[in-house]
Amino acid sequence: MRSSEVAARAGVHPQTLRYYERRGLVSEPPRTATGYRVYPAAAVSRVRFVKRAQELGFTLDEVRDLLHLADGGPDDCDSARALARSRLRALEARIADLHRMRESLVELVETCERPRRDRRCPLLDALQTGRKEA
Amino acid sequence: MRSSEVAARAGVHPQTLRYYERRGLVSEPPRTATGYRVYPAAAVSRVRFVKRAQELGFTLDEVRDLLHLADGGPDDCDSARALARSRLRALEARIADLHRMRESLVELVETCERPRRDRRCPLLDALQTGRKEA
DNA sequence: CTTGACTCCGTAGCCGGGTACAGGGTTGAG
DNA sequence: CTCAACCCTGTACCCGGCTACGGAGTCAAG
């Protein structure tokens, strides 16, 4: 398969394929006599793996590690699981962060919603004074 | 106040102050005869406002808009509120995203946790085949 | 044989939010 | 007077993940 076909099937641009090659996510495919890359069919699933893992919040470096683990045996399975767990923890921490941000923002907007006599914007004031943990 | 003092009080680096100046977040302060910036005390709260708003997920461009609104009257208060609400919506959408990512990741790790006879890693397989919405 | 689509390579640019560095001038204490 | 610590400017670099560009070679159809 040529690069544009692999790219189209995996839903990426052909340049992205070369980029993944440089990053060690996709191994260098054999070439034609004139230097064109010729990919095995498995390259498509490999790239899809990358995109899927990215959707789950893995960085490209982590995906590369996962892929290299996938080439190994059962010991590597444990490593993969550990990586997934740590990703999960990071994700949960991030969610908790955003929840806190949301809480503060909701409060801020509510403050602002209350009728006020004076013409100062309570939202801007609240932000300015840093009502919490600031 | 000199730049390093403002920076220290607001918890940023002096360069960051210059950066904010370039970005229009902090107005150009007057200078001494030899060209040193001399900040009014209000500059510290201005920078703290920026950091506080950033914690709530506003981009620097949005913060700049908020600050310019803060200089205005009651009409601008409505705009500020609208900006905060739209930020809130974006935040909630992002949280929902992360929740979906978390769900998938939890499932993945659980799959992996189940005892298996064969030595393939179910996590890696699952990622590869893209069990959902892929 | 020409034309247009594909491919190659290297390099540079984008986003956001800074951080670092080079090469100078200034200030204030000892 | 000297020295460190500050300040000035402009520019380049960092992260991650692409995306675009320029200039050249190749392939297949007409």
Side-chain angles (χ1 to χ4, degrees):
Chain A
M1 243 184 289
R2 302 226 214 140
S3 41
S4 63
E5 194 181 347
V6 173
R9 290 196 192 207
V12 300
H13 294 290
Q15 299 105 307
T16 306
L17 235 39
R18 292 207 304 124
Y19 176 67
Y20 286 175
E21 195 178 311
R22 281 208 300 284
R23 291 287 300 259
L25 292 158
V26 172
S27 47
E28 292 189 38
R31 308 284 190 120
T32 64
T34 51
Y36 285 24
R37 287 171 182 81
V38 181
Y39 291 93
V44 176
S45 3
R46 189 129 176 147
V47 175
R48 284 193 184 141
F49 180 104
V50 174
K51 300 314 278 182
R52 169 89 183 131
Q54 269 189 305
E55 280 170 16
L56 295 179
F58 290 90
T59 66
L60 286 191
D61 281 348
E62 286 169 337
V63 180
R64 191 201 47 214
D65 292 349
L66 280 175
L67 282 164
H68 291 173
L69 291 174
D71 297 337
D75 288 352
D76 289 346
C77 175
D78 290 344
S79 310
R81 209 185 327 165
L83 197 46
R85 279 215 209 87
S86 95
R87 193 86 287 284
L88 186 53
R89 276 193 300 273
L91 194 48
E92 284 169 347
R94 182 66 183 144
I95 289 172
D97 272 356
L98 293 193
H99 270 300
R100 278 190 293 274
M101 282 164 55
R102 198 190 87 89
E103 290 300 296
S104 305
L105 207 43
V106 164
E107 265 189 76
L108 228 49
V109 172
E110 277 169 3
T111 301
C112 205
E113 229 98 271
R114 290 204 302 269
R116 288 265 163 162
R117 263 161 229 85
D118 57 351
R119 71 195 182 298
R120 291 283 305 143
C121 178
L123 190 155
L124 296 171
D125 286 349
L127 267 173
Q128 210 129 25
T129 53
R131 284 146 47 265
K132 300 198 139 174
E133 90 276 348
Chain B
M1 245 185 289
R2 304 233 205 134
S3 42
S4 64
E5 193 181 348
V6 173
R9 290 195 193 209
V12 301
H13 294 290
Q15 296 105 309
T16 306
L17 233 41
R18 292 209 302 124
Y19 176 68
Y20 285 176
E21 194 178 312
R22 279 209 299 284
R23 291 288 299 259
L25 292 157
V26 172
S27 47
E28 292 189 38
R31 307 286 189 120
T32 65
T34 52
Y36 285 24
R37 287 171 182 82
V38 180
Y39 290 94
V44 176
S45 6
R46 190 127 174 146
V47 176
R48 284 195 183 138
F49 179 105
V50 174
K51 301 313 279 181
R52 169 89 182 132
Q54 268 189 307
E55 281 170 14
L56 294 180
F58 290 90
T59 67
L60 286 191
D61 280 349
E62 286 169 338
V63 180
R64 190 200 47 215
D65 292 348
L66 280 175
L67 282 164
H68 291 172
L69 292 174
D71 298 336
D75 288 352
D76 289 348
C77 177
D78 290 344
S79 310
R81 209 185 327 163
L83 197 45
R85 279 215 208 88
S86 96
R87 194 86 288 284
L88 185 53
R89 276 194 299 274
L91 194 47
E92 282 169 348
R94 181 67 184 144
I95 289 172
D97 272 355
L98 293 193
H99 270 299
R100 278 191 292 274
M101 282 164 54
R102 198 190 86 89
E103 290 299 296
S104 304
L105 207 43
V106 164
E107 266 189 74
L108 229 49
V109 172
E110 276 170 4
T111 302
C112 204
E113 229 98 90
R114 290 205 301 269
R116 287 266 164 162
R117 264 161 227 86
D118 57 350
R119 68 197 183 296
R120 293 284 302 144
C121 178
L123 189 155
L124 296 171
D125 286 350
L127 266 174
Q128 211 131 26
T129 52
R131 284 147 46 266
K132 299 197 142 178
E133 89 276 348

